[in-house]
């Protein structure tokens, strides 16, 4: 039997039985009267509770769900439970939405949701910076109406979004930024449009390409020279001892130049590939300075007056090997760019609590327009002078890199024709005070 019918039967049957029994004992009228009274009470109870329910439905709030009585008590408590679960779900959804919107707002990328007809459904605040979209004003707008670049319009129409689109446009303070635009299809022909600033990566990529081109170029010249001599020597029918000796000497020079370049490249790559300093020990600076001085005297070979001034007994923490190479480059530059008879002063001092290593020369100096670029790889003011003196164009790049790993900066003061001072200025934290 249908459970609802059974319920009716179970409720009403005892009542009718009771009325029947009473009727048998006290007569039919009494039986019917009892039945009428009980039925009336039951109907009244139902109407009362239904009315409570109806009143509540007019403004169905959790707190005002009535208590009810009898079977209704059960109904209302069930309702209360459902309401509570619903409120919880709502709160969860709201939280998820807030979280999503916060993430969207914080994302460094532009995020735009498009419907199947490319109308803007939602976009994050970043989309304003990138595409000039207004999250409120442009909702429902056709995206190509706001983003009109022909490249983008074609990309959107192509329906092939495997690769992102790269466009150049003004962004933030940069008039010529590179932006990667990618469309991702999802759901029912809906689209997600993402915009990302890749200017930095583009620049890195250009630097990398330039670097490879520069290295190849630097190696090609000596190789061409070597190749030329080898060809001449091979083609000689009658070996000319003088010519052979001269050729071999020049070939050796080129080989030395190539190995110096490779040496510098390896140094650069070594300091670039290790993030942390190899050793953060106190450096025996006195010993290091002495060695530098000796090397300088040997390199100058009596052509310059070279003096070492140790004005503080403070030492440094860091990597002795790297510092030797950084300081050594400054000293060797001073010698190489100072004509015979010039002066070179190597100084170790403490200025306002900062350890400073400096090299002052009375050499050819550098014109102001070149100063900012001297530490770029392969940047040279005078290419042939640098080559003649055995330069690779990487010395100052190495120095700058080492110094930045030691929290120091390179200061350059120079006057064309008068001379230069290259100073490595360290942070006070790198200083190891002398023991007295
Ligand atoms: P290089 O191997 O060419 O010397 P560096 O990176 O050491 O490469 O230096 C870059 C350029 O800076 C040099 O080519 C030179 O033009 C300039 N320079 C460096 N040191 C000095 C100096 N003491 N006096 C004049 N010019 C210098």
């Amino acid at each position: 039997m249908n459970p609802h019918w059974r319920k009716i039967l179970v409720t009403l049957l005892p009542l009718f039985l009771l009325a029947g029994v009473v009727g048998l004992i006290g007569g039919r009228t009494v039986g019917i009267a009892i039945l009428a009274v009980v039925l009336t009470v039951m109907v009244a109870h139902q109407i009362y509770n239904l009315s409570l329910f109806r009143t509540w439905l007019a403004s169905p709030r959790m707190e005002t769900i009535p208590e009810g009585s009898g079977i209704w008590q059960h109904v209302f408590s069930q309702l209360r439970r459902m309401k509570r679960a619903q409120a919880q779900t709502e709160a969860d959804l709201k939280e998820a939405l807030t979280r999503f919107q916060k993430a969207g707002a914080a994302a460094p990328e532009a995020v735009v949701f498009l419907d199947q007809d490319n109308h803007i459904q939602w976009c994050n605040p970043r989309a304003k910076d990138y595409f000039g979209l207004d999250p409120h004003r442009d909702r429902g707008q056709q995206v190509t109406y706001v983003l009109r670049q022909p490249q983008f319009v074609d990309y959107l129409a192509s329906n092939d979004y495997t690769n992102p689109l790269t466009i150049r446009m003004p962004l933030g303070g940069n008039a010529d930024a590179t932006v990667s635009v990618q469309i991702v299809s999802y759901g029912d022909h809906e689209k997600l449009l993402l915009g990302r600033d890749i200017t930095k990566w583009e620049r890195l990529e250009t630097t990398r390409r330039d670097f490879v081109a520069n290295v190849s170029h630097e190696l090609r010249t000596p190789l061409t020279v070597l190749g030329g001599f080898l060809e001449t020597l091979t083609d000689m029918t009658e070996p000319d001892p003088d010519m052979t000796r001269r050729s071999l000497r020049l070939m050796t020079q080129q080989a030395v130049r190539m190995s110096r370049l490779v040496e510098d490249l390896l140094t650069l790559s070594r300091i670039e590939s290790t993030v942390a300093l190899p050793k953060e020990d106190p450096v025996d600076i006195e010993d290091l300075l002495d060695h530098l001085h000796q090397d300088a005297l040997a390199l100058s070979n009596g052509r310059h007056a070279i003096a070492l001034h140790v004005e503080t007994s403070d030492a440094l923490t860091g990597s002795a090997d790297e510092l030797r190479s950084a300081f050594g480059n400054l000293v060797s530059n001073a010698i190489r760019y100072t004509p015979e008879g010039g002066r070179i002063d190597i100084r170790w001092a403490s200025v306002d609590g900062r350890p400073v290593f400096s090299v002052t020369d009375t050499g050819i100096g550098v014109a102001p327009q070149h100063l900012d670029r001297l530490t770029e790889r392969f940047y040279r003011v005078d290419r042939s002078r640098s080559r003649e003196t055995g330069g690779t164009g990487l010395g100052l790049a190495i120095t700058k890199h080492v110094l930045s790993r030691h929290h120091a900066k390179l200061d350059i003061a120079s006057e064309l024709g008068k001379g230069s001072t290259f100073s490595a200025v360290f942070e006070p934290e790198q200083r190891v005070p002398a023991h007295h």
Side-chain angles (χ1 to χ4, degrees):
M1 201 201 297
N2 180 319
H4 305 298
W5 285 112
R6 193 181 313 135
K7 186 85 194 159
I8 292 173
L9 207 65
V10 169
T11 317
L12 293 183
L13 199 62
L15 176 59
F16 278 93
L17 283 175
L18 176 72
V21 172
V22 173
L24 280 178
I25 300 166
R28 206 184 325 160
T29 325
V30 183
I32 291 177
I34 292 276
L35 189 63
V37 168
V38 175
L39 276 178
T40 309
V41 168
M42 282 174 77
V43 170
H45 173 244
Q46 295 301 325
I47 293 176
Y48 176 76
N49 278 291
L50 258 179
S51 163
L52 277 180
F53 188 34
R54 221 175 113 185
T55 315
W56 176 78
L57 273 182
S59 69
R61 285 189 297 124
M62 167 86 176
E63 314 80 68
T64 54
I65 294 178
E67 278 300 323
S69 50
I71 181 104
W72 284 91
Q73 207 170 0
H74 182 66
V75 170
F76 285 135
S77 85
Q78 198 79 352
L79 189 63
R80 210 169 285 123
R81 211 169 302 139
M82 274 166 59
K83 263 290 200 192
R84 205 173 291 134
Q86 189 190 358
Q88 186 57 48
T89 314
E90 248 170 48
D92 288 352
L93 277 176
K94 210 162 160 186
E95 199 192 303
L97 188 66
T98 315
R99 211 181 309 136
F100 171 77
Q101 278 174 341
K102 272 191 190 152
E109 280 135 40
V111 183
V112 186
F113 285 104
L114 302 177
D115 67 10
Q116 49 188 351
D117 299 317
N118 299 327
H119 292 127
I120 298 165
Q121 287 182 309
W122 183 88
C123 67
N124 71 345
R126 276 287 168 156
K128 188 174 188 149
D129 306 338
Y130 279 78
F131 306 132
L133 292 183
D134 189 303
H136 302 292
R137 191 196 59 207
D138 292 324
R139 182 170 291 173
Q141 191 77 259
Q142 182 74 29
V143 68
T144 46
Y145 187 78
V146 197
L147 248 151
R148 295 162 185 248
Q149 273 108 325
Q151 271 172 297
F152 174 73
V153 176
D154 291 347
Y155 177 61
L156 184 66
S158 75
N159 269 322
D160 173 14
Y161 310 129
T162 335
N163 295 312
L165 170 75
T166 306
I167 29 183
R168 304 190 82 94
M169 59 187 210
L171 176 62
N174 185 353
D176 190 27
T178 313
V179 172
S180 158
V181 177
Q182 170 105 57
I183 290 179
V184 184
S185 296
Y186 75 97
D188 206 7
H189 300 292
E190 285 155 310
K191 297 182 195 82
L192 182 61
L193 168 66
L194 300 167
R196 201 150 59 98
D197 184 0
I198 55 162
T199 316
K200 221 164 58 190
W201 305 119
E202 267 269 307
R203 217 172 277 153
L204 265 179
E205 184 55 24
T206 314
T207 313
R208 193 190 63 81
R209 260 198 307 262
D210 287 356
F211 182 65
V212 173
N214 272 324
V215 171
S216 316
H217 180 78
E218 294 290 333
L219 285 171
R220 197 172 49 199
T221 323
L223 272 175
T224 311
V225 177
L226 277 175
F229 281 126
L230 283 172
E231 208 175 274
T232 319
L233 289 174
T234 316
D235 289 349
M236 265 196 302
T237 37
E238 287 281 305
D240 170 350
D242 264 1
M243 164 87 170
T244 308
R245 210 172 300 121
R246 216 172 40 245
S247 300
L248 286 176
R249 205 175 46 240
L250 289 169
M251 283 165 73
T252 310
Q253 270 176 18
Q254 297 305 323
V256 167
R257 185 172 144 198
M258 287 204 300
S259 79
R260 205 175 276 141
L261 180 64
V262 171
E263 204 66 47
D264 275 359
L265 284 171
L266 286 174
T267 306
L268 202 54
S269 126
R270 196 172 50 241
I271 50 178
E272 275 185 343
S273 58
T274 50
V275 182
L277 278 171
K279 268 202 287 176
E280 276 276 11
D281 294 336
V283 175
D284 185 347
I285 204 86
E286 226 165 285
D287 179 62
L288 196 152
L289 292 169
D290 271 343
H291 272 103
L292 280 178
H293 192 202
Q294 295 310 319
D295 291 349
L297 292 170
L299 188 63
S300 157
N301 201 13
R303 288 174 296 143
H304 310 91
I306 304 175
L308 171 66
H309 312 268
V310 183
E311 294 172 0
T312 173
S313 37
D314 288 349
L316 268 186
T317 54
S319 152
D321 285 343
E322 289 191 5
L323 289 172
R324 189 175 303 122
S325 138
F327 294 172
N329 286 335
L330 298 182
V331 174
S332 108
N333 280 354
I335 294 167
R336 289 169 40 234
Y337 297 105
T338 301
E340 196 163 348
R343 258 198 81 77
I344 290 154
D345 292 289
I346 305 168
R347 183 168 277 109
W348 176 244
S350 173
V351 181
D352 302 331
R354 294 168 189 274
V356 178
F357 172 84
S358 62
V359 183
T360 303
D361 64 49
T362 56
I364 61 171
V366 182
Q369 72 268 25
H370 296 293
L371 284 181
D372 281 347
R373 303 196 56 191
L374 288 190
T375 56
E376 284 176 24
R377 295 156 179 195
F378 298 116
Y379 189 86
R380 294 129 154 164
V381 177
D382 178 347
R383 201 161 273 272
S384 57
R385 173 154 193 144
S386 158
R387 287 234 178 88
E388 279 162 25
T389 56
T392 58
L394 293 173
L396 289 182
I398 294 173
T399 301
K400 185 181 174 177
H401 212 98
V402 168
L403 291 185
S404 85
R405 282 154 68 81
H406 284 80
H407 313 290
K409 60 184 177 41
L410 181 66
D411 276 350
I412 309 174
S414 189
E415 209 176 321
L416 195 61
K418 293 245 170 79
S420 325
T421 297
F422 286 72
S423 318
V425 183
F426 292 81
E427 287 295 315
E429 293 79 56
Q430 296 291 114
R431 167 176 169 259
V432 180
H435 300 293
H436 291 293

